[in-house]
């Protein structure tokens, strides 16, 4: 009964983690869309810096209250993580500016194969045929409902490549660091968020000026715009935390595959909140196919052999094996003899 209840509890926590991530991610996308499209606050890199500053403040409060225990993360790993994470943020913004929407979406979809490659190379993960096919179904479904015009140029391709690889490496590192150093989600955020906040708030205004030709300090900060900025920063704490929780509990690949549910929800909410002119049979069929692929992936990857780490053991020669057994037997005999002597002496 205990194992069953333990499995049920894990399943409930898994669902809660995914729901937390979906709600906060979709929420922040909707708020940021209103902030940037309606109020013309187009300083995405600086806004991300504010997100991490808010997250840093919360981790400091939680550490002061005793909810976050002291932990250690080597400085070299911290710098590598922040480098990948910041390259991901800036790379995605530049990729969106230099590429068509269609190629930008294709680049985002390619994160799944890259994440799979990282797990195969570094973690020796093996995927079953059903798991691989389910990933393909998800990719095709999302591509059908998001990819429209596709045009490629040299600098856009470079930006997209940097964005894809840095994002995949950042998400892989979230899982890797949590497992290697036994860090909780808040512990890892407590290490990484301050450095990301400082670096993005320093570099963000310059990057945003380069991307938009506008200065963040010259923006007209109305009461409504400030409210949406504060709301975005508040939701971002949950988004950052839920991302670390989900990748820590699962893997970067699962986070990417099942994370496309957020894409479907954002498209659906966008049609209802910002107009339905893009809603057609092609988009609906793509959404349905993607959701079916996600369900298939969840089922296939959870089965034995669906997604598992391969272990390699060195072959042992039979003569060596017998020799080891005889040595072990000799040691047992010696141990028994010494025990008998102790008994005799007593």
């Amino acid at each position: 009964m205990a194992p069953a209840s333990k499995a049920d509890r894990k399943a409930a926590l898994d669902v809660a983690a995914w729901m937390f991530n979906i709600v906060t991610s979709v929420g922040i996308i909707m708020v940021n869309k209103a902030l940037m499209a309606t109020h013309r606050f187009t300083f995405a890199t600086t806004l991300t810096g504010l997100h991490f500053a808010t997250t840093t403040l919360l981790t400091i409060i939680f550490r002061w209250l005793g909810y976050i225990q002291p932990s250690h993360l080597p400085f070299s790993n911290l710098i590598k993580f922040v480098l990948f994470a910041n390259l991901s943020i800036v790379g995605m913004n530049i990729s969106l500016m230099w590429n068509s929407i269609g190629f930008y979406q294709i680049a985002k979809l390619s994160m799944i194969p890259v994440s799979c490659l990282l797990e195969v190379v570094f973690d020796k993960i093996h995927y079953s045929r059903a798991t691989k096919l389910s990933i393909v179904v998800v990719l095709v479904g999302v591509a059908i409902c998001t990819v429209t015009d596709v045009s490629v140029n040299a600098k856009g391709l470079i930006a997209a490549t940097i964005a894809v690889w840095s994002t995949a490496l950042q998400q892989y590192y979230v899982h890797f660091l949590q497992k290697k150093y036994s860090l909780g989600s808040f512990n890892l955020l407590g290490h990484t968020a301050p450095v990301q906040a400082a670096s993005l708030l320093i570099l963000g205004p310059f990057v945003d000026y380069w991307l938009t030709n506008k200065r963040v300090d010259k923006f007209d900060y109305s009461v409504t715009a400030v409210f949406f900025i504060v709301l975005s920063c508040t939701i971002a704490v949950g988004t950052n935390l839920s991302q670390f929780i989900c990748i820590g509990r699962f893997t970067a690949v699962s986070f990417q595959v099942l994370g496309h549910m957020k894409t479907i929800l954002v498209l659906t909410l966008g049609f209802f909140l910002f107009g339905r002119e893009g809603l057609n049979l092609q988009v609906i069929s793509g959404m349905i196919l993607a959701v079916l692929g996600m369900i298939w992936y969840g089922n296939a990857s959870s089965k034995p052999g669906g997604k598992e780490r391969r272990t390699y053991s060195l072959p042992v020669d039979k003569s060596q094996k017998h020799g080891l057994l005889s040595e072990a037997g000799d040691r047992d005999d010696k141990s028994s003899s010494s025990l008998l002597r102790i008994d005799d002496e007593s």
Side-chain angles (χ1 to χ4, degrees):
M1 192 71 182
S5 61
K6 187 177 180 181
D8 292 341
R9 184 172 179 274
K10 182 184 181 303
L13 290 173
D14 289 347
V15 172
W18 278 119
M19 290 303 299
F20 183 31
N21 181 254
I22 289 172
V23 170
T24 54
S25 298
V26 173
I28 199 170
I29 289 171
M30 292 292 108
V31 170
N32 287 350
K33 190 168 184 178
L35 179 62
M36 295 182 181
T38 306
H39 300 284
R40 306 297 178 188
F41 188 86
T42 55
F43 310 101
T45 311
T46 305
L47 181 62
T48 307
L50 292 172
H51 290 170
F52 282 107
T54 309
T55 304
T56 300
L57 180 62
L58 189 66
T59 58
I60 291 172
I61 294 172
F62 272 43
R63 186 177 286 112
W64 179 67
L65 292 173
Y67 290 110
I68 300 178
Q69 301 303 317
S71 58
H72 172 68
L73 179 64
F75 183 72
S76 59
N77 284 327
L78 174 62
I79 293 301
K80 277 190 278 189
F81 178 89
V82 172
L83 177 64
F84 293 145
N86 288 356
L87 273 176
S88 168
I89 294 164
V90 176
M92 280 297 177
N93 290 336
I94 295 174
S95 176
L96 183 59
M97 182 182 73
W98 286 350
N99 292 308
S100 64
I101 297 296
F103 186 74
Y104 173 77
Q105 291 294 344
I106 289 175
K108 286 181 67 177
L109 290 175
S110 67
M111 289 178 196
I112 294 179
V114 172
S115 296
C116 287
L117 178 63
L118 291 176
E119 289 190 357
V120 169
V121 172
F122 294 116
D123 293 340
K124 303 297 184 289
I125 297 294
H126 171 71
Y127 296 91
S128 68
R129 184 179 179 183
T131 304
K132 293 174 186 175
L133 288 174
S134 66
I135 292 174
V136 172
V137 171
V138 173
L139 292 174
V140 171
V142 176
I144 289 173
C145 60
T146 60
V147 177
T148 52
D149 60 312
V150 179
S151 59
V152 186
N153 59 79
K155 63 180 185 179
L157 180 62
I158 293 171
T161 303
I162 293 172
V164 167
W165 277 94
S166 58
T167 302
L169 284 166
Q170 181 259 344
Q171 292 183 355
Y172 174 82
Y173 245 65
V174 169
H175 185 79
F176 171 77
L177 294 176
Q178 288 192 51
K179 297 300 180 186
K180 183 173 182 179
Y181 298 105
S182 301
L183 296 172
S185 303
F186 252 128
N187 288 105
L188 187 56
L189 271 177
H191 289 290
T192 60
V195 184
Q196 280 193 262
S199 56
L200 289 173
L201 287 176
I202 292 171
L203 298 175
F206 298 101
V207 174
D208 288 332
Y209 180 75
W210 177 48
L211 293 174
T212 65
N213 204 27
K214 297 177 183 178
R215 289 173 52 177
V216 67
D217 60 315
K218 298 296 183 181
F219 180 75
D220 180 20
Y221 290 93
S222 64
V223 175
T224 309
V226 171
F227 168 77
F228 274 101
I229 292 172
V230 172
L231 182 61
S232 177
C233 290
T234 304
I235 299 174
V237 175
T239 306
N240 292 331
L241 178 60
S242 64
Q243 182 193 32
F244 280 29
I245 291 173
C246 287
I247 296 177
R249 292 185 70 85
F250 310 103
T251 62
V253 173
S254 295
F255 181 75
Q256 283 284 343
V257 173
L258 300 179
H260 278 296
M261 178 60 73
K262 293 176 286 189
T263 306
I264 305 301
L265 289 174
V266 168
L267 285 172
T268 305
L269 289 173
F271 293 138
F272 285 106
L273 296 177
F274 301 103
R276 304 186 185 184
E277 64 276 1
L279 188 62
N280 54 48
L281 184 61
Q282 176 184 330
V283 172
I284 294 173
S285 61
M287 289 179 177
I288 294 172
L289 186 63
V291 171
L292 291 175
M294 292 172 204
I295 295 171
W296 187 12
Y297 173 83
N299 183 51
S301 61
S302 62
K303 288 182 177 179
K307 180 182 177 182
E308 61 185 8
R309 188 188 300 271
R310 279 184 169 174
T311 55
Y312 300 95
S313 57
L314 293 173
V316 180
D317 187 69
K318 287 186 177 179
S319 59
Q320 292 177 340
K321 186 176 179 181
H322 288 308
L324 290 171
L325 288 172
S326 61
E327 287 176 11
D330 292 340
R331 284 197 297 269
D332 291 341
D333 291 339
K334 289 177 182 178
S335 301
S336 301
S337 301
S338 52
L339 284 172
L340 287 170
R341 284 197 298 272
I342 291 172
D343 290 336
D344 292 338
E345 290 173 3
S346 61

